[in-house]
Amino acid sequence: MKPLTTYIDYRAYLSDYYAFQKKRKRNFNHRYFADKAGISSSSFLSRVIDGKRNLTRPMIEKFASALELSSKEKEFFRHLVLFNQAKTAEEKTEHYAAMRGLSGAVHEKFLQADQYDYFKCWYAPVVRELICIHDFQNDFQTIAASVVPSITARQARETVDLLTRLGLIRRLENGRYEQTERSVSADPRITTLSAREYIDAMIEHARASLRTMTRDVRHVSTMTLGVNKAQYDILIQELDAFKERVKRIVADGSPADRVYELNFAVFPVSAVHGLHHRKVLYRRSWLLNRHSITASSSRTVPDNLFAVKPR
């Protein structure tokens, strides 16, 4: 059975645990687990696994004891449950950060590629593009100054170390860096945690570009539209198709010399009125901002970060 710290869903862990114990012990069943946890209902475990019941904090402790977890694993399990059951992004971020801190103590590898670290700092994708365009030879001060807005040399060094550790870039014998993959995708189960901060940062940069950049290096435009649900779905499909077109444009083989951020935002600015009033006002924004005067394209951003759909 996989280590607890490799899980991002406590219900999946409980399901695997039950199947594993069922194979190991003939007498293991839902009643066995309930007795071990001091729970009167024999169906409680199955209802939790099926998502029909949540775990309260006292119940988390009972489950942790029945699972025979170590003290550090118990703490990880607590945060894992609270992470899954959190109501707000802030709560999820808090518990996910705690899980990350504990995972190193319990198990060396967490998730697939520590993507949380990659997307939590807006400049990590920028540095990933930037460092592979020019031969900086680990001149972190120059790298930092090439990012717009600039970062510190320490942040540049830490980001290069992170990208190297995650296997997103590698250093060649001549000292230059190259990307190991042309694009980076995120595990959709935790994308919302890191992407929220990333998107917020890029929205702020887009706003700042209106004051700090001239129109010849940035493009910002917006439209307010009356649409219905069918038209909205078509617009999203068109945006998805356009994103594919953008990827083909920047992948034509010609060398890049700067990094741009391309943001899309489609969101409602009115309510839906009545069954016969199907049209809704949507705001569509196109934001094209320059990250750096010495960098490349925005193709490192995963697809689900391009379109911010109304929730």
Side-chain angles (χ1 to χ4, degrees):
M1 182 175 171
K2 295 184 299 181
L4 169 61
T5 52
T6 64
Y7 286 85
I8 198 69
D9 184 342
Y10 83 91
R11 300 182 199 275
Y13 170 74
L14 292 176
S15 178
D16 289 350
Y17 171 84
Y18 182 83
F20 178 74
Q21 294 297 333
K22 191 72 174 175
K23 290 181 179 180
R24 291 183 61 212
K25 305 175 182 177
R26 289 186 177 181
N27 64 333
F28 188 86
N29 53 32
H30 291 109
R31 167 51 62 189
Y32 182 98
F33 182 86
D35 291 342
K36 196 172 182 182
I39 303 170
S40 59
S41 174
S42 61
S43 64
F44 189 79
L45 174 60
S46 63
R47 291 175 63 82
V48 170
I49 292 175
D50 292 340
K52 297 177 180 179
R53 292 291 301 270
N54 285 338
L55 293 182
T56 62
R57 288 181 180 268
M59 196 62 72
I60 291 174
E61 300 306 316
K62 291 185 176 183
F63 267 57
S65 297
L67 293 167
E68 298 181 346
L69 302 175
S70 67
S71 58
K72 290 181 179 179
E73 288 174 331
K74 284 182 179 179
E75 188 172 357
F76 183 92
F77 181 73
R78 292 185 195 105
H79 287 290
L80 177 61
V81 175
L82 296 174
F83 165 77
N84 289 154
Q85 297 179 174
K87 301 295 184 182
T88 67
E90 290 74 16
E91 288 179 304
K92 282 186 174 292
T93 300
E94 174 188 350
H95 293 298
Y96 183 69
M99 289 160 57
R100 280 187 39 74
L102 289 165
S103 64
V106 181
H107 193 263
E108 293 184 354
K109 185 177 180 180
F110 184 76
L111 299 181
Q112 297 182 353
D114 282 348
Q115 64 195 39
Y116 180 82
D117 286 341
Y118 179 66
F119 287 113
K120 76 175 181 179
C121 295
W122 66 266
Y123 48 81
V126 181
V127 172
R128 178 177 177 270
E129 293 284 352
L130 184 61
I131 198 172
C132 297
I133 297 175
H134 299 288
D135 186 8
F136 288 103
Q137 291 293 326
N138 277 350
D139 183 353
F140 299 109
Q141 189 62 53
T142 301
I143 296 173
S146 298
V147 177
V148 178
S150 62
I151 59 177
T152 66
R154 177 178 179 179
Q155 288 173 320
R157 180 187 299 107
E158 291 175 348
T159 301
V160 171
D161 290 343
L162 171 68
L163 295 172
T164 303
R165 176 169 60 84
L166 298 184
L168 298 177
I169 62 173
R170 56 172 167 256
R171 195 176 189 189
L172 305 177
E173 292 183 0
N174 61 7
R176 293 187 64 120
Y177 286 89
E178 69 174 8
Q179 296 176 353
T180 56
E181 299 291 342
R182 297 188 65 178
S183 63
V184 174
S185 60
D187 187 331
R189 294 173 298 179
I190 69 168
T191 295
T192 54
L193 296 179
S194 47
R196 183 180 294 273
E197 295 180 6
Y198 182 87
I199 294 172
D200 284 346
M202 290 309 170
I203 290 174
E204 288 302 318
H205 294 328
R207 183 180 294 111
S209 73
L210 291 171
R211 304 186 304 271
T212 62
M213 298 180 183
T214 58
R215 295 182 66 179
D216 61 318
V217 296
R218 57 94 176 140
H219 174 87
V220 178
S221 62
T222 183
M223 299 175 66
T224 302
L225 310 167
V227 302
N228 54 42
K229 180 59 168 63
Q231 291 169 334
Y232 167 79
D233 291 340
I234 293 174
L235 287 174
I236 297 303
Q237 291 173 10
E238 291 290 332
L239 285 178
D240 288 340
F242 177 68
K243 287 186 293 182
E244 292 304 315
R245 173 63 176 156
V246 170
K247 293 176 184 178
R248 290 194 294 270
I249 291 174
V250 301
D252 66 356
S254 59
D257 62 359
R258 69 200 69 188
V259 177
Y260 269 80
E261 179 71 18
L262 182 60
N263 299 331
F264 298 91
V266 184
F267 53 91
V269 289
S270 78
V272 179
H273 296 287
L275 295 177
H276 302 292
H277 239 31
R278 307 297 290 188
K279 286 207 168 185
V280 182
L281 285 178
Y282 273 84
R283 171 74 68 175
R284 181 177 64 181
S285 301
W286 305 79
L287 309 172
L288 186 57
N289 308 310
R290 186 183 64 175
H291 271 332
S292 170
I293 59 173
T294 57
S296 119
S297 72
S298 62
R299 58 180 176 266
T300 58
V301 184
D303 287 351
N304 53 1
L305 294 189
F306 277 101
V308 184
K309 303 177 181 179
R311 297 179 180 276

